Amino acid sequence: MTVGNGPMSMVVQGAALVSLIWSCTVFVVQAIGISQLFRHHSGPLPKPVSPSLEPDEVPHITVIRPVKGVEVGLYECLASTFRLAYPKSKLTIYLCVASTDDPAYPVLQQLVADFPGFDAKVLVEEDDPLLHGTGGHVNNLGPNPKIRNISRAYREAKGDIVWIVDCNVWVGTNSAGRMVDKLCGFLPDGSRTTPYKFVHQLPLVVDIDPLPTAEERQRLLPTTHNASPPTDRTPRGILSHFGGRLEEMFMSTTHAKFYSAINTVGVAPCIIGKSNMFRKSHLDLFTDPARNPLLSPRDAARGRGLDFFSSYICEDHLIGDLIWRSRLPPQSSDDDGGAPAPRFRNHGLVFGEPALQPMAGMSAAGYVARRVRWLRVRKWTVLAATLVEPGVEPLVCCAHLAFALTTLPWFRGGDRGWGAGVGVPPTWRAMALVWALAVTAWMLVDRWVSGELRRLRSVDVDEHTPAFARGAGRPGGIPQRPFGEWLAAWVGREVLALPIWTWAVLLGTTVTWRGRRFRVRMDMSVVEVGGGTRESSAPGSKVTSRPNSRNKDRID
């Protein structure tokens, strides 16, 4: 591997310098993310401020939960909304489902019955007056099934704050208060800081072993809160849901580190539509071409608020991106001559309050399909980040580092520069050794990070907290992963990362979206392929048939 002094040597050393800069940048970004995770997720959080304000000062929240089919832990995830430590009079809860034929519909009815006294309602898409009945039409919204599901809930929201939480997400009892504190700028000492336009939570996946019987897996109604989930640690039991292990690994290592780091630096929007809170007045303003110069006149046909995104896939990123880029009009001073109202920051991650998604029974093939869909729907929204994604994974990033250390003369030892005490020989064997050591160090750090996140020490626990949300080490909580089992998932996740990226980004543009196949275009609009009714991809496009309410093929 010895490099000479000719022109080719300069090219190789230039490439090695780029590799060194890239790998060091990735390490710095990871360090930022890790420091934030340990700072905010390693212990209990202070109590939120907003729930204890005077009644007329507590902001009203409309919680919108789109539901599609029966998910694992569905009852407990949705019930967590009713168990929020937030004034009941300041909560409106809308549980949204496409049809009364959806298998989740009886669960939603039971939830409303089990928690009387709440301003809660089950909203069925088939009853939406915008889409059905006198004056309505099924084509009034585009094909995005999630937007069609929650459009009515958004239009009928009470108060200004809207909190959209996926049905397969469990939220902690104090999460509403902490989200509102961040959004509105409430501080513990009674003062106010700069509010945000948009706040969200760190998504984490907890893979639990399959429930004992098929009946329990389908019913998924509340079980004993303090009991740990059943454990099947036989090779067959682990392999049957190895995809869940891979998903849990990805969300608690690579994704958690970079998600936290990017949201700390705040150079670009980085969100996932698991749990997002914003103001309805802001989104209505930002989706109005007459009041937002970022939009063109042709966007006027796309509706307002959430309806603006109904013809597009990846609505979570598009909503966050539009809120990020849009500016609010100047605010005047108070009548008494006071200072202007505070400006708004863009996005704020509510550290320490994860959005927990329980998962069970996902195969490795299911994980691969899920990641392919994920990458394809986000490819055109964050193209640059998607293209460099393989370089942030350990196997590739550590190869960059090993190439740089064994190529640049600074690290050869002697009196030749920075590496006088390093002495890395320019050989293939040395490169392999450096790569192996770097990957091992990366793996050990991931073991540490994922172990800390799995403990969920920042999550508030009470008698209603399900086992998957109690964390490892707490009574009735989930166990910590044995190292051998954890290592198998880590290696599997990292080995699959590059093939999945190649297949998703370079070799296809179609996704299976709730039972129908769509091609994703560069503007993030979608067109149906493979038979059936085609969907227009133009802004303001119409849909000619309802999504299949019984299909459980999700992209989130």
Side-chain angles (χ1 to χ4, degrees):
M1 189 180 168
T2 301
V3 179
N5 297 317
M8 192 61 186
S9 171
M10 298 298 293
V11 173
V12 173
Q13 291 192 25
L17 180 59
V18 171
S19 291
L20 179 64
I21 294 173
W22 173 257
S23 56
C24 289
T25 300
V26 172
F27 297 151
V28 169
V29 172
Q30 282 199 99
I32 294 173
I34 292 170
S35 65
Q36 288 290 71
L37 291 173
F38 278 91
R39 178 185 174 190
H40 298 284
H41 291 263
S42 58
L45 302 176
K47 292 293 184 182
V49 176
S50 52
S52 59
L53 296 174
E54 293 297 324
D56 59 344
E57 296 179 356
V58 179
H60 194 100
I61 307 174
T62 298
V63 187
I64 301 176
R65 305 215 60 168
V67 181
K68 175 67 175 177
V70 178
E71 302 274 349
V72 63
L74 177 65
Y75 184 97
E76 290 296 347
C77 288
L78 295 177
S80 66
T81 316
F82 295 86
R83 293 173 176 145
L84 292 168
Y86 201 82
K88 187 183 296 187
S89 62
K90 297 294 183 176
L91 278 177
T92 296
I93 302 172
Y94 290 142
L95 307 175
C96 306
V97 68
S99 167
T100 55
D101 293 331
D102 191 295
Y105 183 69
V107 181
L108 307 187
Q109 290 181 306
Q110 179 172 340
L111 275 161
V112 175
D114 287 349
F115 294 93
F118 279 86
D119 180 13
K121 188 184 299 184
V122 178
L123 297 181
V124 182
E125 181 187 319
E126 289 180 340
D127 299 330
D128 187 346
L130 179 68
L131 300 174
H132 307 281
T134 305
H137 197 282
V138 70
N139 290 345
N140 283 339
L141 291 176
N144 186 309
K146 184 173 181 179
I147 298 296
R148 294 173 67 85
N149 188 324
I150 63 179
S151 172
R152 181 183 177 187
Y154 177 85
R155 298 194 310 268
E156 298 180 3
K158 299 178 182 179
D160 195 27
I161 295 179
V162 173
W163 186 13
I164 302 176
V165 191
D166 279 1
C167 67
N168 56 7
V169 166
W170 181 91
V171 291
T173 55
N174 285 305
S175 56
R178 294 188 178 114
M179 295 276 280
V180 170
D181 285 358
K182 188 89 169 183
L183 186 74
C184 299
F186 294 121
L187 294 178
D189 60 1
S191 62
R192 299 282 292 270
T193 187
T194 306
Y196 285 84
K197 294 186 289 184
F198 182 102
V199 297
H200 53 120
Q201 295 177 265
L202 173 71
L204 289 177
V205 168
V206 180
D207 183 52
I208 58 179
D209 292 310
L211 297 172
T213 67
E215 180 183 355
E216 284 176 309
R217 286 198 298 270
Q218 287 298 319
R219 199 161 56 90
L220 297 172
L221 295 180
T223 55
T224 303
H225 296 295
N226 294 324
S228 299
T231 302
D232 181 2
R233 301 217 175 271
T234 65
R236 182 176 180 180
I238 294 173
L239 289 175
S240 66
H241 52 105
F242 192 61
R245 293 287 194 270
L246 299 175
E247 182 74 9
E248 178 185 275
M249 183 64 62
F250 170 66
M251 298 302 287
S252 63
T253 54
T254 298
H255 187 272
K257 291 182 293 184
F258 284 96
Y259 196 80
S260 299
I262 295 172
N263 278 288
T264 298
V265 177
V267 295
C270 180
I271 63 165
I272 287 182
K274 290 292 181 186
S275 174
N276 301 328
M277 180 182 286
F278 52 88
R279 295 171 183 82
K280 186 174 185 292
S281 59
H282 285 183
L283 191 61
D284 289 344
L285 170 66
F286 297 152
T287 53
D288 185 353
R291 296 188 291 171
N292 190 347
L294 295 178
L295 305 180
S296 65
R298 68 191 183 99
D299 290 321
R302 291 171 57 179
R304 299 292 176 268
L306 290 182
D307 293 354
F308 185 84
F309 306 93
S310 66
S311 295
Y312 291 77
I313 202 170
C314 199
E315 73 290 328
D316 52 351
H317 178 84
L318 293 177
I319 292 170
D321 181 68
L322 182 62
I323 291 177
W324 177 281
R325 294 185 295 113
S326 301
R327 293 188 177 184
L328 291 164
Q331 297 179 334
S332 60
S333 301
D334 296 335
D335 295 337
D336 59 358
R343 296 180 179 179
F344 289 84
R345 297 178 183 177
N346 280 323
H347 291 185
L349 177 59
V350 182
F351 285 102
E353 273 289 356
L356 294 177
Q357 178 185 350
M359 182 176 291
M362 176 183 282
S363 66
Y367 165 78
V368 171
R370 181 183 176 95
R371 288 293 299 145
V372 168
R373 289 193 298 269
W374 183 296
L375 286 165
R376 285 182 180 173
V377 301
R378 284 164 171 77
K379 177 166 58 176
W380 299 119
T381 58
V382 284
L383 181 60
T386 302
L387 292 178
V388 302
E389 182 172 312
V392 306
E393 304 289 0
L395 303 187
V396 176
C397 185
C398 292
H400 279 288
L401 178 66
F403 170 62
L405 295 184
T406 54
T407 302
L408 295 172
W410 308 328
F411 302 97
R412 304 233 181 115
D415 57 355
R416 301 193 61 180
W418 301 343
V422 178
V424 181
T427 64
W428 290 107
R429 182 177 180 180
M431 181 175 175
L433 180 60
V434 171
W435 177 83
L437 291 174
V439 169
T440 300
W442 190 310
M443 178 268 295
L444 292 175
V445 170
D446 276 356
R447 171 67 171 174
W448 184 37
V449 171
S450 64
E452 285 298 310
L453 289 178
R454 190 170 174 82
R455 289 184 177 90
L456 299 175
R457 288 190 285 199
S458 63
V459 174
D460 300 306
V461 172
D462 59 25
E463 68 275 14
H464 300 296
T465 306
F468 63 78
R470 289 179 172 270
R474 281 178 173 157
I478 54 179
Q480 197 64 274
R481 297 281 181 227
F483 180 74
E485 185 179 320
W486 182 93
L487 180 62
W490 189 89
V491 172
R493 216 295 296 183
E494 303 307 337
V495 168
L496 286 172
L498 185 57
I500 289 174
W501 180 90
T502 303
W503 177 255
V505 176
L506 304 181
L507 301 178
T509 59
T510 61
V511 296
T512 301
W513 191 17
R514 299 202 176 192
R516 301 158 72 185
R517 197 175 184 191
F518 292 88
R519 179 164 57 89
V520 185
R521 290 185 169 180
M522 292 180 65
D523 64 352
M524 291 311 299
S525 61
V526 292
V527 58
E528 188 174 3
V529 297
T533 305
R534 292 178 62 87
E535 310 290 353
S536 168
S537 64
S541 62
K542 310 300 182 183
V543 62
T544 57
S545 62
R546 286 196 313 275
N548 181 355
S549 64
R550 302 185 73 84
N551 190 282
K552 296 268 309 348
D553 204 344
R554 303 171 61 94
I555 62 170
D556 52 340

